[in-house]
Amino acid sequence: MKKRRERIDRGIKARSEDVYALCSWREMLYLAGPRLLPAAAFLLLPLFLGVYWQKVMISVAVFALLAMSWDLLAQTGMISLGQALFFGMGAYVSGILNFYFGAPPWIAIPIATVLGGALCTLILLPVLRLRGIYFSMVTLIVPLMLVRIIEATKIFGGTEGLSGMTPLPSTLTEIYLATGVLLGVLFGLRRLMETDYGLVLKGIRDNDRSVTNAGINIYWFKTQALFISSTIGAFAGAFMTHVYMFVGMPVFALDYSILPIAAAVVGGGGTLAGATLGAVILVPLSEALRGIGGLRIVLYGLFLVVFIVAIPEGLFDYIQRKYHQMERWVEIDQ
Amino acid sequence: MSLPTALRVENLCKIFGRVAAVDHLSCEVRSGELIGIIGPNGSGKTTLVNLISGFVKPTSGRILYNGQDITRTAPHKIVCMGISRTFQMVRPFYRLPAYKNMIIPLYSPRVRQLAGGQYGDRNAVALDLLEEVGFERDAHVAYKPAGTLPQGYLKRLELAKAIALSPDLLILDELFSGLSLAEVASIVPVIEKLRLAGKTIIMIEHRLKELFRIADRIMVLNFGQKIAEGAAAEVMASEDVKKAYLGSEE
């Protein structure tokens, strides 16, 4: 006798894919739970954390935003290796507005978000026609190039950067601004990708010729996706400028490009929630490993490899499947 | 017949490297006509389709649609002018239900334009269109993931996606290839119906028997050149065509 694992959808999932008839509190909780849990965690946790872990949480939110910004581009078929461009652009625009024009954070951050996003979109506009690795290479190079430009021309403080930015009123304000935007972006983008508009974006990734053949200008849609994505990244950067009270060349560092990708891959790409989950795991892990010293990066890397090999589809998809399906072993005839 | 010319191809050339895929080709398609294009493998049929639909730009020559030059027009604009095509290789969204595959063409600016600025309920329109091409509504075939559907349905889905754009000129690139006789027989009435609705249709086919039954006129390509044109019987009687298909006697 051989055995085979059988997967059965749980009751409410099996009833229908997207139209639910809610009959009881239990069913409502079954559906709302996975959405309420992270929202509640992000909103309540800061109240119980110490100052150090509150800072870690800000970092989590920032990397989650960058990871989602990466995921949105990836879902539209653009693999970016340069989230640092978005982050750095937002950071510098907000820094410049605050430093040279004295704009307070609540004005500088929104302007930097939109303006930074628009600038990134403009910079990448000429390469939107490139596909695959060619697009990726350009996104990798542009932020590194900007660093050298700032270094060589000594504009905006040059290698020293600009310091003495106006801080946000309190750590709690910082946390709730970051987590509030994070939750908004997470649920907003997830909903957007479920609409017909989102379907067109995903269509560009899967088969761009077929989308063109539907009379749709894929470059216009790619531009829109790029703008949404770079706006999210620019917000993260603009926000961090006022948290650090400093902006300088490190904002274009490779960390801001690579870590979000790692988060999206560990959590599972194409879901946005996976990108957030990845950041929630990776950022605190990196902090927790700090005590170990020299081997920190090795352990961190090892952890990443194990994760990617063990759950290649991503943690979020894995959890989602376990949540919606029961598994049992059944005997089968040869 | 003195029907107006829908499509006119003038002296069209497309050279890939050192190979002329389409070589000084000129032809005309009249409005409301069903023209079949045949030819051995590599004779330039699909390149011709790619040129007309704008996916590939010609090396030289012109393409006129309803008198308008579309030689250098972007492919999505050509679609919005009323030319839509199917692809030989169907690549649907395998994980999505068949009817969700229809959403993207229904999102097209052309559909909105024709509907007077409104998109309406795309899901409902998608299901109607799929029923038209033979997705049995009672069997709920349209709700199944595209990846689980047999080739016959995928080709029909491809056809439905093209019809969704309400084209005036429809180009079907090897719609029948890989289908059983029964499947072909079930698609033919759909094409006949489109013809009755006044659509101009260009069919690239290898399935000659089925094609000859519905085509008004046949054009034969070989090495990117037109070697014969006319009614099915006279085309197949031509020496050049026999040679192209069977090889020369020497």
Side-chain angles (χ1 to χ4, degrees), chain B residues 101-115:
Chain B
N101 274 270
M102 299 289 296
I103 299 297
I104 292 176
L106 290 172
Y107 202 89
S108 168
R110 178 171 171 85
V111 174
R112 178 168 53 179
Q113 202 186 339
L114 292 177

Side-chain angles (χ1 to χ4, degrees), chain A residues 139-158:
Chain A
T139 57
L140 178 66
I141 292 162
V142 172
L144 301 178
M145 227 164 58
L146 287 180
V147 172
R148 298 291 157 235
I149 291 175
I150 290 169
E151 194 182 357
T153 59
K154 298 190 171 60
I155 42 164
F156 310 133

Side-chain angles (χ1 to χ4, degrees), chain B residues 34 159 170 172 175-176 184 186-197 199 201 203 214:
Chain B
L34 197 164
L159 179 62
L170 184 61
L172 307 173
L175 188 68
F176 293 161
V184 171
S186 72
I187 296 185
V188 167
V190 180
I191 296 171
E192 305 255 68
K193 216 171 129 196
L194 287 167
R195 246 179 106 185
L196 286 177
K199 312 275 186 206
I201 301 173
M203 287 184 78
I214 50 177

Side-chain angles (χ1 to χ4, degrees), chain A residues 196-197 199-200 203 206-207 209-217 221, chain B residues 55 76 79-80 85 91 93 96 100 103-105 107-109 122 165:
Chain A
D196 292 349
Y197 177 84
L199 204 60
V200 173
D206 285 3
N207 190 346
R209 284 194 127 202
S210 163
V211 178
T212 303
N213 199 40
I216 291 169
N217 185 354
F221 277 77
Chain B
F55 282 99
H76 68 268
V79 174
C80 291
R85 64 168 288 188
R91 272 173 53 200
F93 303 122
L96 287 178
K100 280 285 178 195
I103 299 297
I104 292 176
Y107 202 89
S108 168
R122 291 193 201 92
L165 297 155

Side-chain angles (χ1 to χ4, degrees), chain A residues 168-189:
Chain A
L168 290 159
S170 69
T171 311
L172 273 187
T173 322
E174 288 171 356
I175 292 193
Y176 281 117
L177 179 58
T179 52
V181 171
L182 166 68
L183 290 174
V185 169
L186 171 61
F187 290 110
L189 281 189

